[in-house]
Amino acid sequence: MHLAYPAVLAVLLFCTGLYGVLARRNAILVLMSVELMLNAVNLNLVAFDVWLRDTLHTGQALTLFTITIAAAEIGIGLAIVLLVHRNRGIADVDKLRDLADPPSAGQDPMDNSMAAPTDNDADQARRVRRQTA
């Protein structure tokens, strides 16, 4: 077996997965693209294992570890995506960059009352503490 055939297929799979990670906005599709990239790595590991005629079958053993890690990654990733979709109602990666909760129904989205304190807020808090002491 020529090494070029599985290597070219692995490159095509990896490039397709990379495009999916960079271009997609849906978190489920990003996870699927990561799985595609991991499968391209698995294909390379097995192809080089067969090509080198390794007696220990190191490539196949590493492939089993990669499959295990990929299964754990997809399980945890899907759990996180489902939890975020349940709480926020979206699975768009671009809109999930901040960790703050979305504003409630009656709250103004431009209200910064829950924002991190600035230097002016800290100075004002010090003045209040001095006045009450």
Side-chain angles (χ1 to χ4, degrees):
M1 177 175 84
H2 293 287
L3 184 62
Y5 298 132
V8 168
L9 180 61
V11 166
L12 290 175
L13 284 173
F14 193 85
C15 289
T16 304
L18 186 65
Y19 173 75
V21 167
L22 296 177
R24 300 291 179 185
R25 294 181 184 201
N26 190 347
I28 303 288
L29 294 177
V30 170
L31 286 174
M32 289 174 59
S33 298
V34 169
E35 288 292 321
L36 201 60
M37 291 168 53
L38 287 172
N39 286 330
V41 170
N42 288 340
L43 181 61
N44 264 337
L45 285 171
V46 172
F48 276 98
D49 183 51
V50 170
W51 185 66
L52 293 173
R53 294 184 180 93
D54 187 15
T55 58
L56 295 176
H57 301 294
T58 311
Q60 293 177 20
L62 286 174
T63 299
L64 289 176
F65 284 117
T66 308
I67 290 171
T68 305
I69 290 171
E73 173 256 337
I74 200 69
I76 293 172
L78 277 175
I80 291 171
V81 168
L82 288 174
L83 185 66
V84 167
H85 187 271
R86 188 179 303 153
N87 288 338
R88 296 191 183 190
I90 58 170
D92 191 3
V93 177
D94 290 338
K95 294 180 182 175
L96 297 177
R97 293 186 181 211
D98 57 344
L99 295 176
D101 289 331
S104 60
Q107 184 180 2
D108 182 22
M110 300 305 286
D111 183 21
N112 288 332
S113 62
M114 298 302 289
T118 60
D119 290 335
N120 293 336
D121 293 338
D123 291 338
Q124 185 179 7
R126 283 187 207 116
R127 283 189 215 116
V128 169
R129 275 189 235 130
R130 283 184 202 147
Q131 290 173 356
T132 56

